Amino acid sequence: VIPNEKSTNLYCKFAPFTVWAMKSSWIVHMQANYWGYTKSQADYMAAYSKRMTVENYCAFFKKTINLEKFPYKDVTIPMLVVCGSRESKDIKDSVALLGENKFCQVRVLSGAGHDFPMRKATVLNELLVEFI
């Protein structure tokens, strides 16, 4: 993860609208349905999302780990980084940096986007089990 000031500012600019949408139960349920969540999972996500604040949302982007300042090249435990080919440039740049570590396996999934873990949890679980 490499904080990108331009991206962070953009996400924070739209934070009031995003947080408003996250507090809307029907929008959250619609998203959960798209991801194939059960009713119980969707209800939990809707209840949890109501607790989000603009400050929390912006902090996620502003206070993230900065790989350029973290000694990731010195990490000697096996790591797995999974990224979709449709991810943002910021994510792909972070994955490329992590891939410089010889202990890090990088998997770029063709056609996958940011919601891959939610939409294809069984595929992700298989990748994780194979890695472990």
Side-chain angles (χ1 to χ4, degrees), residues 79-83 95-101 104-108:
M79 296 180 283
L80 173 65
V81 176
V82 180
C83 176
V95 169
L97 268 182
L98 286 168
E100 292 175 6
N101 181 308
C104 184
Q105 295 178 36
V106 174
R107 302 264 179 94
V108 178

Side-chain angles (χ1 to χ4, degrees), residues 25 28-30 32-33 37-47:
S25 185
V28 173
H29 276 87
M30 187 171 55
N33 185 50
Y37 281 17
T38 64
K39 179 174 178 355
S40 173
Q41 290 170 319
D43 290 344
Y44 177 82
M45 189 168 89

Side-chain angles (χ1 to χ4, degrees), residues 21-83:
M22 292 172 69
K23 290 178 184 269
S24 172
S25 185
W26 71 269
I27 291 175
V28 173
H29 276 87
M30 187 171 55
Q31 183 70 54
N33 185 50
Y34 174 73
W35 287 339
Y37 281 17
T38 64
K39 179 174 178 355
S40 173
Q41 290 170 319
D43 290 344
Y44 177 82
M45 189 168 89
Y48 191 86
S49 294
K50 288 185 187 302
R51 298 173 25 201
M52 181 62 66
T53 66
V54 171
E55 294 77 21
N56 293 134
Y57 186 83
C58 288
F60 176 81
F61 299 101
K62 290 180 177 180
K63 299 183 184 290
T64 190
I65 293 172
N66 185 339
L67 283 179
E68 294 173 325
K69 296 178 182 177
F70 184 81
Y72 65 93
K73 291 182 181 179
D74 298 332
V75 176
T76 59
I77 60 170
M79 296 180 283
L80 173 65
V81 176
V82 180
C83 176

Side-chain angles (χ1 to χ4, degrees), residues 113-124:
H114 197 68
D115 64 352
F116 175 83
M118 287 74 76
R119 294 188 67 217
K120 305 283 187 179
T122 55
V123 176
L124 180 62

Side-chain angles (χ1 to χ4, degrees), residues 8-27:
T8 297
N9 289 340
L10 179 67
Y11 292 131
C12 289
K13 178 181 177 182
F14 288 104
F17 174 75
T18 304
V19 170
W20 171 84
M22 292 172 69
K23 290 178 184 269
S24 172
S25 185
W26 71 269
I27 291 175

